[in-house]
Amino acid sequence: MGTMPEDGTRTAAEDLNPDVDGSLPPASVDDAVRDAEERRWTPAKIAIWVAIALLGGVAWFMLAVVRGETVNAIWFVFASVCTYLIGYRFYSKVIERYLLKPDDRRATPAEYKADGKDYVRTDRNVLFGHHFAAIAGAGPLVGPVIAAQMGYLPGTIWIIIGVVLAGAVQDYLVMFFSMRRGGRSLGQMAREELGVIGGTAALVATLLIMVIIVAILALVVVNALGESPWGVFSVGMTIPIALFMGVYLRYLRPGKVMEVSIIGFVLLMAAIIGGGAVAGTEWGAAFFHLDKVTIAWGLIVYGFIAAILPVWLLLAPRDYLSTFMKIGVIAMLAVAIIVVRPEITVPAFSEFAGRENGPVFSGALFPFLFVTIACGALSGFHALISSGTTPKLIEKERQTRFIGYGGMLMESFVAIMALVAAISIDRGIYFAMNAPAALTGGTVETAAQWVNGLGLAGVNITPDVLAQTASNVGEESIVSRSGGAPTLAVGLAHIMQQFIGGTGMMAFWYHFAIMFEALFILTAVDAGTRVARFMLQDSIGNFAPRFKEASWRPGAWLCTAIMVGAWGAVLLMGVTDPLGGINTLFPLFGIANQLLAAIALAVCMAIAAKRGSFRYLWIVAVPLAFTAVVTITASIHKIFSSVPAVGYFANNAAFSKALADGKTSFGTAKTTAAMEAVVRNTMIQGWLSVVFVVLSIIVIITAVAATVKAFRNTTAGIPNLNNEDRPHPSRVYAPAGLIPTPAERELMAEWNKVPANMRAERAGHH
Amino acid sequence: MSAGAGFGGLLHPVAQALRGLAKYLQGVMGADAYRKYLEHHAAAGHGTPPMDERAFWRDRTDRQDTNPQGRCC
């Protein structure tokens, strides 16, 4: 690899001579000056933080204690933002000061490996946006909606507290450690730090987890588009739009990214508006009215083709479109919530908070709420983005706190806004939309009857309301549109129409929301399939070297087919599952995502231990222990629970017995074939859960072993192996956070006086 | 650039802010990649001439074919 250190025994600061070139100002603010600045509490500074703490306290009080008949959405904004600010200013500083100890005198990979292509120093604010766009997608928009079944409070607490103590910590640590290793991936770091067994288990687990995550994201899209001609048309149009943009950028006007993104955006809006017109015609309604199985097969075929097409043709242009939409949508949602400030009537804890047979997702609050909301609180998938791409672009070491920790706080805020949007709609509509058709019966009459029969406080819904809502958003029906995306879309349409356009615009906003969720998910599906394909090729390459050649077509196609086949199979299981795919499979998504987080945190713990930071190891150990307990408990429930709705094998046994008894319909399965499908699916899902949890436990055990060994070495005075790249002195300077401090400004002014030809990256000669 | 200049001094800060926003968005989308490449090329003092814009973007997406970058959920 060429990046291994020559000598494992040195420490970071020893062979780093900051004064390589006396003509340049220092590359870092003096430690003593920064310290004094941070510890100086002026009255104004104290007043600001007291105000933030008070406002946050009042907001939490309103949400958690007062819990009036209704609660205003603005309190969610204040509670979250104030907590984030305090977490960022105080807790992330503790991590920086005592655990990571970044050193601005050290050059980042973007400086010492600068190549103008992959390793490019990037302005911290730009990189913040870039990194945020890479980590945030449909996940934080979907999980909180599904978790709203239990009331607003459990989800709100987990999203806000979870991100401060776990999610943002993981992203920050992974990014920092990867940066110190020249931008190595999580898999490579696991191999180096945990050895062959731990590293291999981490690799296989990552691969399987990606399959599950892609499959369930795809399931969300299928559920949103099933029987929706408008949605199918407008989302389908993104393919020709992206192809056009790709050709435009390659042949017509290379490099005009903004221009083509604006053209693409306009075409996208036209596709949404046109979708309404097309779905209104008889042929359009007939042609684009597809059932879920057909859409699932379409998505599988699309996934395979998209993953073998060259990046410039489909993936890159759609990524531009997706980024463009992401920034716009999130800004729009934030403004709308702050301006409209909807009143929330959902209770803090719903009737389902104390039960494990909720219609939206099955399982008790602990542990299943904590896996249902993964993205937004703690998402292991981020470890794959925070290692690799972003660390190669960071300008200064101290900026990792802003980009890594801060970026994740931003995603958490998106999750809070999604939660607010989902709970701003009537609870009766919420349950009618999110329960599987097996329960609601699929028609407005049966759905209203079922919802009213649940005995929920203050819920009394009529079939007319359900029919009216469906017609407002331009859909044939909204009953049993599970998966989270349609509910969020109704919530968003509900809020946005108060802001712009009134009821007449609801259909547009609904399909706008479906469009951007589908866009984010399709991009994640594409990119996920490609990344997984390369991981598979690399693994097979250890036995058959030909597979390591990325350009060898048969190998690439075979591995793509294997990966698409794997997620496609899980997707079809979900779509045909008579119990409702989301209800049983969504927890598996969260479990997979958080097992990956456990793996990432385990690797970070081993690294931190090898650096000798034992006093502050709890910063990593606490979230690791929590996520390990949550995911392992959830897995055990899924494997051993005797409740068929929760346990895969219990369900399997129930259906097997019914088949053996000669029944032709059982529970929600109306035919023998459907019953056999349940038996098959539950067996596969059950064994997948077993494999995941075993692999993750292996990784955690090897990480604990590495930590203990590091501790013994340290007490015995034996230096631990250091896998960081050799330090290079930095010859550039930039401030660490959003707003430069006075000392940082002073140093910037000094650097601005340096003639341009001396500031440039002469470190490039190596 | 003289956008907003004709509207007197009042619109000037607005135009400036909009231009700043456009520049920021370009950075986030990666639209300024070629400019940064040229800067690096000039600063590093390579003897060879830099790639032209078309070749640069071609090379960029073609390298992504063999080095895919994840997008999160």
Side-chain angles (χ1 to χ4, degrees):
Chain A
M1 229 174 290
T3 46
M4 289 296 283
E6 296 82 15
D7 173 12
T9 58
R10 62 185 164 64
T11 59
E14 258 170 11
D15 51 345
L16 187 68
N17 176 11
D19 298 319
V20 279
D21 190 340
S23 61
L24 286 176
S28 168
V29 172
D30 187 68
D31 287 340
V33 172
R34 187 182 36 248
D35 244 32
E37 201 170 50
E38 277 178 7
R39 300 219 157 125
R40 188 173 57 232
W41 282 88
T42 61
K45 202 165 148 189
I46 294 172
I48 289 172
W49 285 105
V50 167
I52 291 172
L54 276 178
L55 181 62
V58 169
W60 276 113
F61 188 74
M62 294 301 289
L63 292 181
V65 182
V66 175
R67 299 192 216 158
E69 285 277 285
T70 65
V71 53
N72 195 286
I74 201 73
W75 295 118
F76 288 87
V77 175
F78 287 141
S80 57
V81 172
C82 294
T83 311
Y84 298 152
L85 287 174
I86 290 171
Y88 180 71
R89 169 62 185 78
F90 296 97
Y91 190 53
S92 76
K93 275 259 168 87
V94 168
I95 302 174
E96 177 181 67
R97 182 183 288 256
Y98 299 109
L99 189 69
L100 296 182
K101 302 177 184 133
D103 183 354
D104 271 350
R105 294 173 306 158
R106 279 180 79 141
T108 60
E111 189 182 345
Y112 67 81
K113 285 186 163 184
D115 64 356
K117 296 170 183 171
D118 295 318
Y119 295 88
V120 183
R121 284 189 289 117
T122 307
D123 174 80
R124 64 196 186 284
N125 296 320
V126 168
L127 188 56
F128 180 90
H130 188 88
H131 177 70
F132 171 72
I135 59 171
L141 300 175
V142 169
V145 176
I146 293 172
Q149 154 172 271
M150 300 215 160
Y152 70 76
L153 196 55
T156 305
I157 293 176
W158 166 231
I159 292 170
I160 298 176
I161 305 299
V163 76
V164 169
L165 297 180
V169 177
Q170 176 210 253
D171 288 22
Y172 181 21
L173 297 187
V174 171
M175 186 182 289
F176 182 84
F177 291 140
S178 170
M179 176 192 70
R180 277 283 172 94
R181 286 158 179 74
R184 247 166 277 173
S185 70
L186 179 70
Q188 289 168 316
M189 290 198 283
R191 182 75 177 249
E192 269 174 11
E193 306 297 337
L194 306 181
V196 177
I197 296 175
T200 309
L203 184 77
V204 177
T206 310
L207 204 55
L208 284 174
I209 286 166
M210 286 185 74
V211 167
I212 286 293
I213 290 178
V214 168
I216 293 164
L217 285 174
L219 181 59
V220 170
V221 173
V222 170
N223 276 7
L225 298 185
E227 278 108 37
S228 167
W230 186 337
V232 169
F233 175 81
S234 50
V235 172
M237 282 305 285
T238 62
I239 299 171
I241 291 173
L243 293 175
F244 165 74
M245 288 169 67
V247 170
Y248 188 94
L249 270 179
R250 182 97 169 175
Y251 297 109
L252 301 178
R253 287 171 63 77
K256 300 288 178 281
V257 170
M258 278 311 254
E259 181 182 302
V260 84
S261 301
I262 292 168
I263 296 174
F265 177 76
V266 171
L267 291 174
L268 214 57
M269 292 304 107
I272 297 174
I273 296 164
V278 169
T281 64
E282 207 168 299
W283 66 269
F287 188 74
F288 292 107
H289 184 285
L290 304 175
D291 64 37
K292 288 183 188 170
V293 178
T294 314
I295 296 176
W297 276 107
L299 206 55
I300 292 167
V301 171
Y302 163 82
F304 178 76
I305 295 172
I308 57 171
L309 280 181
V311 164
W312 66 265
L313 186 55
L314 188 58
L315 184 70
R318 219 211 3 242
D319 202 25
Y320 289 131
L321 212 49
S322 167
T323 307
F324 202 79
M325 288 284 273
K326 209 170 280 183
I327 298 165
V329 161
I330 286 161
M332 184 186 84
L333 192 59
V335 171
I337 286 178
I338 291 165
V339 172
V340 176
R341 295 188 302 279
E343 283 291 327
I344 308 292
T345 53
V346 169
F349 290 92
S350 85
E351 291 79 351
F352 293 107
R355 288 158 51 178
E356 60 173 51
N357 60 348
V360 184
F361 70 94
S362 320
L365 195 149
F366 183 87
F368 285 100
L369 177 98
F370 301 94
V371 294
T372 300
I373 302 177
C375 307
L378 169 63
S379 170
F381 217 86
H382 291 189
L384 303 180
I385 317 284
S386 299
S387 62
T389 317
T390 307
K392 293 175 184 160
L393 303 172
I394 296 169
E395 194 165 18
K396 297 297 287 177
E397 289 208 339
R398 285 190 172 271
Q399 294 172 350
T400 43
R401 185 173 74 97
F402 174 54
I403 296 161
Y405 196 95
M408 180 61 194
L409 291 182
M410 191 76 177
E411 179 180 280
S412 176
F413 186 58
V414 174
I416 287 289
M417 290 193 296
L419 181 73
V420 168
I423 58 181
S424 70
I425 63 174
D426 181 86
R427 273 176 95 202
I429 297 180
Y430 173 85
F431 281 103
M433 286 188 77
N434 284 289
L439 298 173
T440 61
T443 69
V444 286
E445 289 82 14
T446 52
Q449 197 186 356
W450 174 79
V451 169
N452 292 337
L454 286 172
L456 304 174
V459 170
N460 185 21
I461 197 162
T462 61
D464 290 347
V465 171
L466 291 174
Q468 184 61 46
T469 308
S471 103
N472 281 349
V473 298
E475 287 290 290
E476 292 161 26
S477 163
I478 53 159
V479 171
S480 292
R481 288 300 180 85
S482 61
T487 310
L488 177 71
V490 169
L492 187 113
H494 177 74
I495 293 175
M496 285 307 292
Q497 58 97 5
Q498 298 176 51
F499 185 42
I500 303 171
T503 322
M505 282 280 279
M506 267 184 91
F508 173 80
W509 290 121
Y510 176 88
H511 288 95
F512 180 76
I514 293 290
M515 164 71 94
F516 70 69
E517 288 183 275
L519 204 55
F520 299 168
I521 290 178
L522 290 179
T523 309
V525 166
D526 255 26
T529 307
R530 277 177 192 270
V531 172
R533 183 258 279 188
F534 273 93
M535 284 166 66
L536 184 66
Q537 263 186 282
D538 219 37
S539 312
I540 298 178
N542 290 331
F543 309 103
R546 191 88 206 258
F547 275 87
K548 287 215 182 205
E549 294 168 30
S551 54
W552 187 50
R553 292 266 146 217
W557 289 20
L558 180 68
C559 289
T560 305
I562 293 173
M563 293 326 295
V564 173
W567 65 253
V570 179
L571 170 63
L572 284 172
M573 280 179 215
V575 171
T576 53
D577 189 303
L579 306 153
I582 289 293
N583 186 300
T584 32
L585 281 184
F586 200 80
L588 200 58
F589 168 84
I591 292 174
N593 203 347
Q594 294 200 340
L595 282 174
L596 196 53
I599 290 174
L601 285 166
V603 172
C604 288
M605 183 172 77
I607 294 175
K610 288 180 188 178
R611 301 173 95 217
S613 324
F614 294 101
R615 267 191 71 192
Y616 292 93
L617 211 57
W618 56 266
I619 291 170
V620 201
V622 168
L624 171 60
F626 182 78
T627 185
V629 168
V630 163
T631 48
I632 292 169
T633 314
S635 301
I636 287 172
H637 277 263
K638 281 291 190 192
I639 295 165
F640 295 110
S641 170
S642 56
V643 181
V646 177
Y648 290 126
F649 292 112
N651 206 353
N652 182 284
F655 275 82
S656 299
K657 183 168 180 300
L659 276 174
D661 292 347
K663 291 185 186 163
T664 52
S665 92
F666 183 69
T668 49
K670 303 292 178 230
T671 62
T672 334
M675 291 166 71
E676 280 162 359
V678 175
V679 171
R680 208 168 44 239
N681 295 352
T682 47
M683 189 51 78
I684 294 171
Q685 289 154 6
W687 280 107
L688 266 178
S689 300
V690 174
V691 172
F692 281 165
V693 77
V694 168
L695 287 171
S696 305
I697 289 173
I698 292 174
V699 176
I700 293 170
I701 289 175
T702 53
V704 170
T707 306
V708 171
K709 189 174 163 223
F711 183 72
R712 289 212 180 117
N713 280 349
T714 309
T715 43
I718 307 166
N720 285 303
L721 185 71
N722 179 351
N723 288 314
E724 289 182 0
D725 278 6
R726 192 169 59 78
H728 300 257
S730 174
R731 306 166 59 92
V732 296
Y733 180 69
L738 182 64
I739 306 162
T741 66
E744 287 180 333
R745 269 180 227 279
E746 218 170 279
L747 189 53
M748 276 162 77
E750 265 184 70
W751 275 92
N752 285 338
K753 282 186 224 141
V754 178
N757 62 338
M758 291 194 57
R759 248 186 288 155
E761 38 214 321
R762 286 188 300 166
H765 292 292
H766 50 127
Chain B
M1 291 284 277
S2 61
F7 299 93
L10 194 67
L11 271 182
H12 194 66
V14 178
Q16 219 167 8
L18 282 179
R19 226 173 299 148
L21 182 71
K23 199 174 162 225
Y24 178 75
L25 283 178
Q26 292 208 336
V28 171
M29 310 264 304
D32 58 358
Y34 183 61
R35 187 180 57 71
K36 300 195 82 161
Y37 162 75
L38 286 183
E39 272 172 21
H40 167 81
H41 192 89
H46 294 299
T48 50
M51 287 186 270
D52 67 19
E53 191 163 12
R54 187 176 289 259
F56 171 81
W57 287 101
R58 221 165 244 259
D59 171 69
R60 187 176 163 87
T61 43
D62 291 352
R63 276 182 309 116
Q64 281 173 18
D65 271 330
T66 50
N67 182 24
Q69 289 163 6
R71 270 288 179 268
C72 199
C73 26

